[in-house]
């Protein structure tokens, strides 16, 4: 029995949310699409349910047929779901599930050729000890997400090549995302006590010379040098530890050790009201807080079925592109500092421009880093009058600065020597490993969610998506430089077409009424009170939504049980998924190239560990 704090407290229970119909299961999909029809024709009764839910294609399949289904989705030319974007699980033990399985696996599939998305669900047999077939033989992109599900949910995957914990310590006795594990109060199982042998010599002057060899990650050999990189080294861009196997200076293997910054955002999100989790999203990729807000609120708004005013949509686009610029500027400054001669100069130059963007953020919301500006229903407040003039000055200045950066770098022999031909990923590997963003486009895949699955009004903007066929670090550098120019182009269009009107929806069930209404309207006062004390409810269902964040696809999967709190909230972070490629990119290269590869992936450990 765990010595833990209670999972519920009387003073935290809100009577208004204790509806007898809550919790409720998500409804099964209805209707059919061409894709679901083709899948049902192929698998027949092995498909539990198929159709659409909230406009999203959904397939429920028996676990015995999951691998065959995935192979069919990937290889059938009329479907061509060549990429697995994400995998997670739902613990349904607090839902009215009857005799059905406690855990369900959820997979997000993507067809780049056909611009289609498909959600695949499958029950995990085994009750409290669920077992599923691993999809790693079909998609390399399944390896890390399955390890995460095993670590945090306790689902075992048969046939997985390396089924270890990925975020929690190996000795951790719990699976934190299970519903029977509370948010706080868990006993912390320390790995060392004063009974351990290491403390026998504590306080003595003469210590024994023998040492205990550390445990090696799977696949590594003591015949080669085993080196720890991080988690303290600045060039690992945070608390990333890499266990590196070296033959001389040639990299034989790399095993990333994650979890040093694990903050439990998903667990926290399943205890917070929908409107309150916005503030937590800032803390994941803390260099892209606006985009973190944006992806989350779009998912919730889709489930609510509300319409966002046009002015709010344009303001969101401006903020999203400013955040992309700020993130890319930080990537550029640190990447150059890691590997190249003019690093210190460019660090100061790029930071100078980023500071001007943060000034604009401070102007609209009072914060520079953790903004929480984009809210469910719109934005927190309208932009002040001086914002547009300052933004105009910024976008006029930025292209000249980008030219100056490129004069310092693009043709520089040291810069090109460190980047060209380094960190190569083929088009096939990038797709199979689930890469997104500049990592995907740098390997020749012409894909951008803003253009190919537009959201938030992006279909109204004219911009180019830079793509390179080279697949190396230099190609990704060139792509990101052009992406910054295209962001300026989008912002200029948004400024020219910013309409008057509301900056947030006037749907009072979701958005707080204006302060002035509270003195004259009892109804407004009631709405204000209910929103502040209870939040709003989301109808039972599930939805996945991804946006094109600065580092790749940032996606949120939400399972609603009809209450004011998500039953399951999962974050698909691009830093986590893209970092999987570090071993593939670095094998056979030099030790110093690892630093280049970390920089070109552009990770933030708050998003890797989540």
């Amino acid at each position: 029995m765990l010595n833990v704090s209670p999972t519920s407290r009387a003073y935290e229970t809100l009577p208004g949310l204790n509806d007898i119909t809550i919790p409720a299961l998500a409804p099964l999909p209805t209707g059919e699409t061409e894709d679901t029809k083709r899948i049902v024709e192929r698998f027949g009764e092995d498909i539990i349910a198929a159709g659409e839910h909230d406009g999203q294609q959904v397939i429920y399949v028996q676990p015995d047929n999951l691998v065959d289904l995935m192979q069919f989705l990937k290889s059938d030319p009329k479907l061509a779901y060549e990429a697995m974007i994400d995998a997670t699980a739902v613990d349904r033990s607090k839902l009215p599930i009857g005799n059905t399985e406690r855990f369900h696996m959820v997979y997000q599939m993507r067809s780049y050729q056909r611009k289609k998305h498909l959600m695949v669900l499958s029950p995990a047999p085994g009750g409290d000890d669920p077992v599923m077939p691993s999809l790693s033989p079909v998609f390399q992109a399944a390896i890390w997400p399955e390890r995460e599900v095993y670590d945090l949910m306790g689902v075992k995957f048969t046939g997985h090549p390396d089924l270890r914990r990925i975020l929690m310590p190996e000795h951790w006795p719990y699976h934190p995302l299970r519903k029977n594990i509370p948010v706080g109060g868990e006993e912390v199982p320390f790995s060392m006590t004063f009974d351990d042998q290491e403390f026998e010599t504590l306080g003595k002057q003469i210590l024994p010379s023998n040492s205990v060899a550390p445990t090696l990650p799977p696949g590594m050999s003591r015949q080669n040098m085993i080196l720890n990189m991080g988690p303290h080294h600045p060039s690992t861009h945070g608390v990333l530890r890499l266990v590196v196997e070296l033959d001389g200076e040639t990299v034989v293997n790399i095993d990333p050790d994650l979890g040093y910054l694990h903050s439990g955002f998903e667990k926290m999100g399943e205890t917070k009201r929908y409107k309150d989790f916005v503030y937590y999203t800032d803390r994941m990729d803390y260099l892209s807080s606006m985009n973190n807000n944006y992806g989350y609120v779009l998912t919730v708004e889709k489930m609510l079925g509300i319409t966002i005013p046009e002015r709010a949509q344009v303001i969101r686009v401006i903020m999203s592109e400013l955040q992309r610029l700020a993130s890319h500027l930080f990537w550029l400054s640190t990447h150059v500092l890691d590997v190249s001669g003019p690093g210190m100069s460019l660090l100061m130059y790029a930071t100078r421009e980023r500071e001007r963007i943060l000034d604009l953020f401070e102007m609209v919301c009072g914060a520079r880093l953790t903004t929480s500006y984009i809210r469910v229903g719109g934005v927190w407040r309208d932009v002040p009058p001086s914002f547009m003039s300052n933004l105009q000055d910024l976008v006029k200045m930025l292209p000249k600065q980008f030219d100056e950066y490129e004069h310092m770098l693009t043709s520089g022999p040291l810069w090109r020597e460190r980047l060209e031909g380094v960190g190569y990923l083929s088009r096939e590997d990038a797709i199979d490993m689930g890469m997104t963003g500049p990592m995907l486009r740098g390997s020749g895949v012409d894909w951008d969610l803003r253009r190919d699955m537009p959201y938030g009004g992006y279909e109204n903007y004219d911009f180019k998506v830079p793509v390179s066929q080279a697949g190396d670090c230099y190609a990704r550098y060139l792509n990101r430089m052009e992406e910054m120019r295209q962001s300026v182009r989008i912002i200029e269009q948004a400024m020219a077409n910013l309409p008057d009107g509301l900056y947030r929806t006037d749907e009072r069930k979701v958005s707080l009424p204006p302060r002035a209404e509270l003195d004259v309207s009892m109804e407004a006062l009631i709405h204000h009170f209910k929103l502040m004390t209870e939040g709003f409810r989301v109808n039972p269902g599930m939805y996945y939504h991804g946006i094109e964040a600065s580092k790749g696809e940032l996606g949120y999967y939400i399972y609603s049980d009809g209450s004011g709190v998500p039953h399951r909230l999962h974050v698909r972070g691009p830093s986590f998924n893209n970092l999987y490629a570090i071993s593939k990119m670095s094998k056979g290269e030099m030790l110093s190239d690892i630093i280049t590869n970390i920089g070109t992936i552009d990770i933030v450990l708050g998003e890797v560990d989540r």
Side-chain angles (χ1 to χ4, degrees), residues 260-567:
Y260 289 90
L261 199 60
H262 190 209
S263 304
F265 286 108
E266 294 184 12
K267 187 74 172 181
M268 294 299 296
E270 293 169 12
T271 66
K272 302 300 176 186
R273 293 169 295 188
Y274 285 97
K275 71 180 186 67
D276 295 332
F277 186 67
V278 171
Y279 314 106
Y280 289 81
T281 63
D282 294 331
R283 275 78 181 170
M284 293 186 296
D285 181 356
Y286 34 77
L287 301 178
S288 289
S289 58
M290 290 283 189
N291 283 325
N292 296 349
N293 300 163
Y294 200 12
Y296 171 70
V297 302
L298 284 172
T299 310
V300 177
E301 288 164 358
K302 177 63 179 179
M303 300 179 76
L304 289 170
I306 61 175
T307 302
I308 307 304
E310 188 176 351
R311 181 176 179 84
Q313 291 196 39
V314 176
I315 292 174
R316 286 176 169 187
V317 168
I318 291 173
M319 297 304 167
S320 178
E321 295 307 315
L322 283 174
Q323 189 71 83
R324 191 182 318 277
L325 285 166
S327 178
H328 278 3
L329 287 168
F330 197 85
W331 153 80
L332 180 66
S333 62
T334 54
H335 193 27
V336 175
L337 186 66
D338 285 342
V339 303
S340 181
M344 188 59 70
S345 298
L346 210 145
L347 172 70
M348 292 186 288
Y349 297 159
T351 301
R352 175 188 61 198
E353 273 66 79
R354 179 174 176 267
E355 284 296 303
R356 292 194 60 174
I357 296 174
L358 300 189
D359 288 343
L360 291 171
F361 289 167
E362 187 175 14
M363 195 177 295
V364 298
C365 66
R368 302 174 69 81
L369 199 67
T370 52
T371 55
S372 305
Y373 177 66
I374 300 176
R375 309 283 180 89
V376 177
V379 295
W380 174 57
R381 54 176 286 186
D382 205 349
V383 295
S386 58
F387 175 84
M388 297 306 292
S389 60
N390 282 272
L391 179 59
Q392 185 69 51
D393 293 341
L394 177 67
V395 297
K396 284 182 178 179
M397 174 268 294
L398 281 177
K400 296 178 183 178
Q401 303 306 119
F402 298 155
D403 291 340
E404 183 177 351
Y405 303 160
E406 290 219 71
H407 286 317
M408 296 174 66
L409 294 175
T410 303
S411 299
L414 178 59
W415 181 248
R416 299 190 70 154
E417 179 72 21
R418 292 298 306 273
L419 269 68
E420 284 188 315
V422 175
Y424 174 75
L425 280 181
S426 68
R427 173 189 173 91
E428 294 72 24
D429 281 335
I431 294 174
D432 195 49
M433 297 167 76
M435 301 293 102
T436 56
M439 294 291 291
L440 186 66
R441 293 187 287 273
S443 294
V445 182
D446 187 4
W447 178 265
D448 190 305
L449 282 165
R450 296 172 296 172
R451 179 198 64 191
D452 298 314
M453 288 185 170
Y455 53 88
Y458 269 108
E459 63 273 14
N460 301 319
Y461 298 88
D462 179 33
F463 62 97
K464 296 180 180 178
V465 176
V467 179
S468 174
Q469 306 298 325
D472 60 2
C473 293
Y474 190 70
R476 292 185 278 272
Y477 154 73
L478 293 177
N479 280 4
R480 286 190 176 101
M481 293 302 297
E482 182 58 30
E483 282 183 19
M484 289 197 285
R485 291 188 169 90
Q486 295 302 316
S487 288
V488 170
R489 183 177 172 185
I490 292 172
I491 292 171
E492 289 174 335
Q493 296 173 59
M495 293 171 60
N497 296 285
L498 180 63
D500 294 329
L502 299 173
Y503 60 88
R504 65 185 179 199
T505 181
D506 57 359
E507 171 54 65
R508 294 291 179 255
K509 301 290 186 184
V510 173
S511 182
L512 289 172
R515 176 65 183 83
E517 285 188 16
L518 302 184
D519 295 331
V520 297
S521 171
M522 177 57 73
E523 184 179 349
L525 189 62
I526 292 171
H527 282 308
H528 186 282
F529 177 77
K530 297 282 280 185
L531 280 171
M532 294 305 294
T533 58
E534 297 182 10
F536 51 79
R537 296 178 185 171
V538 174
N539 289 331
M542 68 179 80
Y543 194 75
Y544 172 87
H545 192 282
I547 68 166
E548 193 67 42
S550 58
K551 297 169 178 60
E553 179 168 343
L554 171 65
Y556 291 86
Y557 168 78
I558 295 178
Y559 188 112
S560 171
D561 60 5
S563 69
V565 175
H567 179 79

Side-chain angles (χ1 to χ4, degrees), residues 221-232:
S221 170
R222 296 190 189 279
Q223 299 301 313
N224 295 316
M225 178 185 291
I226 309 298
L227 181 71
N228 267 322
M229 284 190 65
H232 54 278

